[in-house]
Amino acid sequence: MKKTAFLFFSIFAFISMHSQVLDPVKWKSKIEKKSDTEYVLIFDGVIEDEWHMYSQFTPEGGPLPTEILFNNAEGNFEAPEKAEESETHTQFNDVFGVDETYFDKTVQLKQTIKVTNPKNNLVQAELFYQVCKEQCIMQNKYFEFDLKELTSKEVVEFGAAAVAPAGDQDEGNDKPAAETPQPEKEDDLSLLGFFLLCFAGGFTALLTPCVFPMIPMTVSYFTKQSKTKAAGIKNAFIYGISIIIIYVVLGLAVSAIFGADALNELSTSVSFNLIFFILLLVFAFSFLGAFEIMLPNSWANKIDRQADRGGFIGIFFMALALAVVSFSCTGVIVGNVLVKASIEGGLAPVIGMLGFSSALALPFMLFAMFPGWLNSLPKSGGWLNTVKVFLGFLELAFAFKFLSNADLVLQAHILERETFLAIWIAVFGTLALYLFGKITLPHDSPITSISVGRLSLGIFVLSFTVYLIPGLWGAPLKLISGFPPPSTYSESPFGFGGSANTIGDKELPEGAKYAENGIISFEDYDRGLEYAKEVDKPVLLDFTGYACVNCRKMEQHVWSDPKILSILKNDVVLVSLYVDGTEKLLENQQYVSKTTGKKIKTYAHKWSDLQISRYNVNAQPYYVLMHPETEENLNDPVGYTPDISEYEEWLTSGISNFK
């Protein structure tokens, strides 16, 4: 009885000790044979609710992408750089300023390998990935595949015994890969949001000089040519559907030519961003009146001749004629929709074109059904060109976002935060002057007075311009978070007049550097501890990651608060331990973890192992207030804490216990 009680207590203690070591993705693996030399390694993961795992194609500067690494020093097989992925989702991350691509609910990776040494039957693969919820975790999983028996198993480390992770690995070897479930409502809503955005773009295109005057002309044609009102409505309906078909086919063509994955991968590349920067500049100057983007006149003439044939075919070619003739105005907006769609990936080009064309076609159909409404339409005039010019200024501003993306990836420091903001201030300041009538452009009508609506819009744009100005001296500008480069990517990363070497009359301690918000930080545990003993202050251990989303949120929105910032600068010694770096430990410093059994080869692994072995937690951010002499906790550690008052209370309680 006593043995049973002791065994029960031991199991309970073990579970309690490891209850906070999170493992949100459960894996199964299998291997399929394609030919005598080609095999497919399949990794199937089930992701816990509210967690998401990042794709291989997440761009640089954002969260860490998934990688499949091989133990293949002998060159027994060959493998492409990227595996085939199951369905992913893409969403803009305003913290990193990039479009992150991730898996939700389930993930499947299919890695094809080609055997070059027939005598070798063992393939060892390491799966490295980042998974996030309110906290982020970096995970390494190890798998061994037997090419002869066509079996696989998960192991603790290469050469170690197999483990049986949750989900029953052995059972998964004989069963087919799990099917990816249908997208959840949140994904449908994101596509709906993109549809509505493009729908708004279609209505904007209606308010341009190339399209708006054609509404009464086209509707009058249908009502006069049709023998009955019902026939006119039917013809107008066919006309509208034809417009939608033409643009949706364009979206399908973009998806078919490039493919969803190719578009997504392109959106993270330097060349892609530079091409779109130039493209948006061309669009902007076109809308501002420098020139017109037009398709060849011969195209329009040929289409017009086909439109005279009548019937369904004639109406379809009338719709095609509208698309060609109005291209100088709509082409710019269509181009922007496709740019955005390429970043979204998947069905976005089709959804985008469906939304755009629906808004474009709807007025033609409605006014044909109710011709009396034509009398309520405002007359064509100079206001149409004002709309066009306004869009041109917006194009010009957004073009520099693509140039900024390319600069950030290259780390060229050509378009730093101050330069980017100076350009935006100039663009929106000039737009405000234009709206107030102080500047005119080539196609503008003479202005004797401005309307109340134009004056109101001008005041709004001027207010936005004034809001941007303090950003030149380090203001956070939270309203446009994600558009300009981060504050650390600037000429004055430590504030206007700040220095990377000194604060006041104090020299920067040896082994320390300046982190976000100008806080002194150590990235080595022992050096930080030694300095804390010298100055007699508590240690704030910050388990973090370069690609940790919520770590950046804490730094930008909580640590930047004046009360928190004062505490971090004056009352504690910050030791930031990054668990996702690549710097290797020296050979004699490497060791095998007593907790996980894994070989610790890098500083990132060392700090991760410290977090797991000491605190039984593997998620970031994770904050510990510690006494530098005894290395004991001053209060209970906390994770992601976005509430400033709650975080301040936690800090002050720990510091009070230290004193």
Side-chain angles (χ1 to χ4, degrees), residues 534-606:
E534 290 178 13
V535 297
D536 192 28
K537 290 181 181 180
V539 172
L540 174 59
L541 281 186
D542 167 30
F543 289 98
T544 184
Y546 295 108
C548 171
V549 177
N550 287 323
C551 303
R552 300 294 85 77
K553 285 183 179 179
M554 287 292 294
E555 292 164 4
Q556 293 176 13
H557 300 292
V558 178
W559 286 13
S560 61
D561 181 83
K563 293 177 291 185
I564 304 296
L565 190 58
S566 175
I567 294 173
L568 297 181
K569 283 187 173 182
N570 302 311
D571 300 332
V572 299
V573 173
L574 178 64
V575 179
S576 296
L577 304 178
Y578 287 85
V579 302
D580 58 355
T582 58
E583 186 180 356
K584 287 189 174 294
L585 292 165
L586 297 175
E587 271 309 319
N588 60 355
Q589 294 177 329
Q590 296 179 10
Y591 64 96
V592 176
S593 169
K594 295 180 180 178
T595 307
T596 64
K598 295 181 179 179
K599 182 77 175 286
I600 304 302
K601 302 176 183 178
T602 66
Y603 281 97
H605 290 158
K606 179 180 179 180

Side-chain angles (χ1 to χ4, degrees), residues 224-241:
K224 289 177 182 178
Q225 295 297 318
S226 304
K227 295 180 179 179
T228 63
K229 182 179 180 181
I233 292 174
K234 183 189 75 172
N235 290 338
F237 185 78
I238 295 170
Y239 181 73
I241 294 298

